[in-house]
Amino acid sequence: MSCHETRDNEVDADETVALVGCPNVGKSVVFGELAEQYVDVSNYPGTTVDTTEAAFGDAKLTDTPGVYGISSFDEEERVTREIVLEADAVVNVVDATQLNRDLFLTLQLLDMGIPTVVALNMMDEAEADGIDIDADALEAELGVPVVPTVAVDGEGIDELRDRVDEARAPESTSIERWFDELPDDVEATRAEKTLLVEGDEPTAERVSTGKVVADGGVPALAETGQREDVYGHRRRRVEDIVGGVLSREERDSSWAERFSDLMLNPLTGTPIALVMLGGIFYFIGVVVAQKIVGFLETIVFGEYYNPVVNNTVESLLPAAGWAEPVEFMLINGNLGLLTITVQYIVGVLLPLVVAFYFVIGILEDSGMLPRLAVLTDRGLNRIGLNGRAIVPMIVGVGCVTMAVITTRMVGNRRERLISTALLGLAVPCSAQLGIIMGLLAGLGLIWWFGYLGVLLVVLGVAGLFLDRTLPGDSTPLVTELPRMRVPRPRNILRKTYNRTKMFLREAIPLFGVTAIAISVLEYVGGFGLIQRALSPVTALVGLPQEFARVLLLGLVRRDFAAAGMTDMAFTTAETFVGLVVITLFVPCILAMVMILKERDAKSALLMWIGSWVVAFGVGGLLAVIL
C-alpha cells in the first residue's frame, strides 16, 4: 500500500474469502501472494488497520485487521466479525511459533461453523526455534485443511490456493452445550449463537427475541453470555491440541534474542538507538545528501541538463510577446517547470526519498520498531501516550498521512488526538527530513543534534500541554514483540520501490502545478505582493522576504518547502531557524485531508492554526537566541 493510498479497492464478486488471523502473523503477505499483488508489510503488529480487497479467481479476497478473537472489544474485532459473518470461506493464517495463542481464534471460527482452511505460516521460524509441528495431526484434530507455509518465500502458497475450495467446519463442536442456555424463540445462525453465548452485545442487538430493551441498557441476550466459561473451555481445547501435535527441542538463545534483550534494557538500548541514529544520519546526510545529491545538482543538472534545456527552449520559442511568459514559466531560475522543478524532483527529492524509505524498511522488517516502543514507553507516558505511539511517530517519519491512519492502533480517542497533533506538528516526513539532513550536514553534526533537540522539546511541551488539557486518561502499553530477524532484501527493495513510485506519482503533479502557480505569480508581480504581505511573519523569525516562497511551497507539501531551502543563500543561523520553522509548519494538504477524515473538522482546524503559532513562536525564539 502506498503511504497515501486507501485500502478500499472494491471488487465485485458473488463469493467472499476472508483472510483472518492474529496481528503480525504474515496475513498481508499471504494476501499479496494469493492475490498476486504487492502489499506493504512490516514486522510489527498493527500494520493492517483497514480492510483490503482483491480478486481471487471468481471470488473476492478480503484482508482484515489482525485480531485475537472475533468479538466486539475494539474496532478491529468489530470490522473482522462483520466480514467473517458475511464470508463464504475463511483462510485463517496462524503463526507456527505461536500456536498456543493463535488456535484460540481458529477454534472460535470452527465453533461458529465458518468454512475454514488454516495456513500454518512462518514454518521456517518455527524450525529455527526448534519447534516441530505435525501438520497432518493438526488437520485431523481440527477437522479442516491445514497447509504449512512460508509466505514471504511463497512456499506452500500454491497448495493453499488449491485447498481454499476444501474449506469446511466440523458439523458440531463442544460449544453447543451452551446453546441450551439461549431462549427457545431465538432465531440465530450457529455463528450468531456462538457469539451470543460469549456475550457479544452487537450480535445480541441484531438477533431479536421480541423483548423490549431499555435505552442504554444491555440487550437481554447478551446477559445470557457465559464468556469466561466458554473462553476457559476453548483454551483447554487449544492446550490439548497443541500438546498432541507440537514438540519442542531445547536450545540456546539465538543472537536475535540476545540483541532483543539488549534493546529492551534502557542502559544498553538507549546507546544502541543513538548509534543507529548516527548511522542513519551519516548514510542519508553525508553519503546521499552531500555526495550523491551534490553530484547530481552540480554536475548533472548544473553543467549539462539545465543549460541544454535552456538553450533548447530559447531556440524553439519565437521572439514574440506571447512567448515571453511561456519561456519564463518553463525555464525561470527560481522554479522553472522544465529546469529547477525537474532538478528538485530528480536531483534532490528522489535520491533522498529512496534512501530514507530503504532505511525505514530495514527498521520495520527487522522488528526494531516494537522494541523502540517498549524502550520509549516511560517517556511517552509523560505526555499522555504509551509506547505504542512510537509506531505512528516512526511511520510518520516515512509519511505523516499514513501515520495518521496508524494512530488507530494507539489506546483511545484521547491518545489518538495527542499523537495526531504531535504528528502534524513536529514529525517531518521522509522526503523533508532527507533534505533537512542534507542541509544540516553542511552545517555540522552539532546542528543536527540541535535540530533533534528542538523537535524533542517541542514534542515534549506540546504533549504535556495536551495531556494536561484533554479530558481522560492514557492506557497502559500492552504489545507483543515480534521476532528480531535479519531484514529480507527482497521485501526491503520491493517496499522501497513501491513507496518511491507512489511518492513520485503524487509529488510530480503537485510539484508541477505549484511551480506553474508560483511562476505565474512571480511573472505578474503577485508573488512580490505576497512576499511583502508575509514580511512581518518572516521578519519575526529573522529571515528575509524570500523565505515567503518557501512558506508557499510548504502549504502544499513540507518537502517542497525543504527543497526550496536548498538554493537560499542564508547564514548558518538563518538556515537552522528556517529548517525548524518549515518542520513545525502546517502539515501537507494530503495529511490535512487525512486528519480531517480520521478526527474531525474542529480538531483539524486547531492543529492547522496551532502549527502556525508554534512554528513562528519557536522560530522567533531561536532567532533571538542565535
Side-chain angles (χ1 to χ4, degrees):
M1 187 182 71
S2 84
C3 64
H4 294 154
E5 187 181 22
T6 56
R7 308 187 70 165
D8 54 354
N9 300 319
E10 294 186 358
V11 177
D12 186 17
D14 294 332
E15 294 187 0
T16 298
V17 177
L19 271 173
V20 179
C22 295
N24 209 39
V25 296
K27 194 160 41 61
S28 294
V29 183
V30 174
F31 175 86
E33 292 291 335
L34 290 177
E36 297 181 343
Q37 70 177 44
Y38 175 77
V39 178
D40 202 322
V41 296
S42 299
N43 184 24
Y44 52 81
T47 308
T48 304
V49 293
D50 212 336
T51 60
T52 307
E53 294 181 356
F56 180 62
D58 295 330
K60 174 176 66 180
L61 184 66
T62 302
D63 190 15
T64 62
V67 293
Y68 297 101
I70 300 174
S71 299
S72 53
F73 294 120
D74 54 38
E75 183 61 23
E76 287 75 18
E77 289 193 0
R78 284 188 282 273
V79 169
T80 302
R81 182 195 58 216
E82 294 307 314
I83 293 172
V84 166
L85 290 175
E86 297 294 328
D88 298 284
V90 161
V91 175
N92 175 214
V93 184
V94 170
D95 181 350
T97 67
Q98 300 287 343
L99 202 58
N100 202 45
R101 179 200 68 184
D102 289 9
L103 284 186
F104 182 88
L105 174 59
T106 306
L107 292 190
Q108 189 180 30
L109 290 168
L110 302 185
D111 287 341
M112 295 168 68
I114 306 296
T116 300
V117 56
V118 173
L120 190 58
N121 198 30
M122 301 187 185
M123 289 296 286
D124 57 336
E125 296 189 0
E127 183 180 353
D129 284 349
I131 296 173
D132 181 42
I133 299 174
D134 187 337
D136 294 333
L138 181 60
E139 180 168 328
E141 288 282 353
L142 297 175
V144 300
V146 174
V147 181
T149 60
V150 182
V152 290
D153 294 330
E155 292 181 18
I157 296 300
D158 289 340
E159 182 184 352
L160 178 64
R161 185 181 291 111
D162 293 340
R163 299 196 69 181
V164 169
D165 290 338
E166 301 176 29
R168 59 182 181 273
E171 289 295 325
S172 64
T173 66
S174 55
I175 196 172
E176 294 187 6
R177 72 178 66 169
W178 280 277
F179 288 178
D180 294 337
E181 305 288 339
L182 296 171
D184 294 336
D185 59 344
V186 67
E187 295 181 1
T189 64
R190 175 178 162 187
E192 290 169 333
K193 286 182 178 178
T194 302
L195 293 173
L196 285 175
V197 299
E198 293 178 5
D200 187 67
E201 292 185 14
T203 304
E205 291 172 354
R206 186 169 58 242
V207 178
S208 171
T209 63
K211 297 179 181 178
V212 177
V213 177
D215 290 344
V218 178
L221 281 173
E223 295 178 343
T224 66
Q226 302 183 51
R227 180 179 297 151
E228 291 307 316
D229 289 344
V230 174
Y231 281 11
H233 177 69
R234 190 174 289 145
R235 290 192 185 96
R236 288 191 292 275
R237 290 161 61 199
V238 169
E239 290 170 2
D240 289 342
I241 293 174
V242 172
V245 304
L246 183 146
S247 59
R248 185 188 298 270
E249 178 185 346
E250 294 298 328
R251 60 172 184 76
D252 296 332
S253 299
S254 66
W255 69 266
E257 290 167 333
R258 292 193 293 273
F259 185 75
S260 176
D261 292 339
L262 291 175
M263 277 298 302
L264 296 176
N265 186 332
L267 292 177
T268 50
T270 303
I272 292 173
L274 290 176
V275 169
M276 282 196 308
L277 277 178
I280 292 170
F281 172 79
Y282 179 79
F283 174 64
I284 296 178
V286 177
V287 176
V288 178
Q290 289 192 354
K291 299 185 183 301
I292 297 178
V293 171
F295 172 78
L296 289 172
E297 282 200 294
T298 306
I299 306 299
V300 176
F301 284 92
E303 294 186 9
Y304 295 100
Y305 177 80
N306 287 338
V308 169
V309 172
N310 283 334
N311 292 334
T312 302
V313 170
E314 288 171 356
S315 64
L316 290 176
L317 289 175
W322 64 266
E324 183 179 332
V326 175
E327 179 179 319
F328 182 83
M329 183 184 67
L330 294 177
I331 60 173
N332 75 78
N334 287 327
L335 206 56
L337 187 62
L338 299 182
T339 52
I340 304 302
T341 302
V342 177
Q343 178 178 322
Y344 278 170
I345 294 174
V346 178
V348 179
L349 286 174
L350 181 60
L352 290 166
V353 166
V354 169
F356 215 97
Y357 282 151
F358 181 75
V359 170
I360 289 293
I362 292 174
L363 292 178
E364 289 177 343
D365 217 44
S366 62
M368 289 291 293
L369 294 188
R371 284 159 180 82
L372 288 175
V374 174
L375 194 63
T376 56
D377 182 56
R378 181 174 297 179
L380 289 172
N381 283 339
R382 299 179 187 279
I383 57 173
L385 299 172
N386 64 47
R388 293 193 75 181
I390 196 65
V391 174
M393 295 297 167
I394 293 177
V395 172
V397 175
C399 173
V400 171
T401 307
M402 179 61 194
V404 172
I405 301 175
T406 61
T407 57
R408 298 177 191 179
M409 67 186 294
V410 302
N412 54 31
R413 181 178 182 277
R414 179 178 185 271
E415 291 170 57
R416 287 191 283 273
L417 273 175
I418 295 175
S419 53
T420 303
L422 297 181
L423 279 169
L425 179 63
V427 177
C429 68
S430 59
Q432 183 193 34
L433 187 56
I435 301 168
I436 287 173
M437 290 174 74
L439 289 169
L440 288 172
L443 305 183
L445 189 61
I446 188 67
W447 291 96
W448 164 240
F449 282 105
Y451 173 81
L452 286 179
V454 170
L455 293 192
L456 289 175
V457 169
V458 172
L459 275 171
V461 173
L464 283 173
F465 173 77
L466 293 169
D467 184 40
R468 300 292 187 273
T469 54
L470 289 176
D473 297 308
S474 59
T475 57
L477 172 66
V478 180
T479 188
E480 187 172 345
L481 292 177
R483 152 195 303 272
M484 288 286 299
R485 64 163 70 112
V486 176
R488 300 174 188 273
R490 177 169 170 259
N491 192 33
I492 301 298
L493 293 177
R494 287 184 66 186
K495 191 181 296 188
T496 302
Y497 169 76
N498 281 282
R499 289 176 174 179
T500 302
K501 185 175 70 174
M502 295 309 301
F503 165 79
L504 292 176
R505 187 180 296 174
E506 291 170 355
I508 289 175
L510 270 177
F511 216 135
V513 170
T514 305
I516 292 172
I518 289 180
S519 294
V520 169
L521 275 174
E522 188 170 0
Y523 186 79
V524 301
F527 195 70
L529 293 175
I530 294 175
Q531 283 188 329
R532 286 191 289 277
L534 289 175
S535 59
V537 179
T538 57
L540 182 66
V541 293
L543 295 174
Q545 285 187 12
E546 289 71 22
F547 188 66
R549 179 166 68 92
V550 173
L551 296 178
L552 288 178
L553 290 168
L555 288 172
V556 182
R557 283 182 65 116
R558 283 176 166 179
D559 47 331
F560 291 0
M565 287 274 297
T566 58
D567 59 358
M568 292 281 181
F570 289 161
T571 65
T572 297
E574 288 173 340
T575 300
F576 183 78
V577 172
L579 293 177
V580 170
V581 170
I582 63 172
T583 302
L584 303 178
F585 200 42
V586 295
C588 70
I589 289 176
L590 291 171
M592 284 306 304
V593 170
M594 191 56 66
I595 292 173
L596 188 63
K597 176 176 177 290
E598 293 290 315
R599 304 286 90 86
D600 54 65
K602 180 183 176 184
S603 300
L605 180 62
L606 287 175
M607 290 177 195
W608 197 82
I609 294 173
S611 297
W612 277 86
V613 174
V614 174
F616 288 94
V618 174
L621 184 62
L622 289 174
V624 172
I625 296 173
L626 299 175

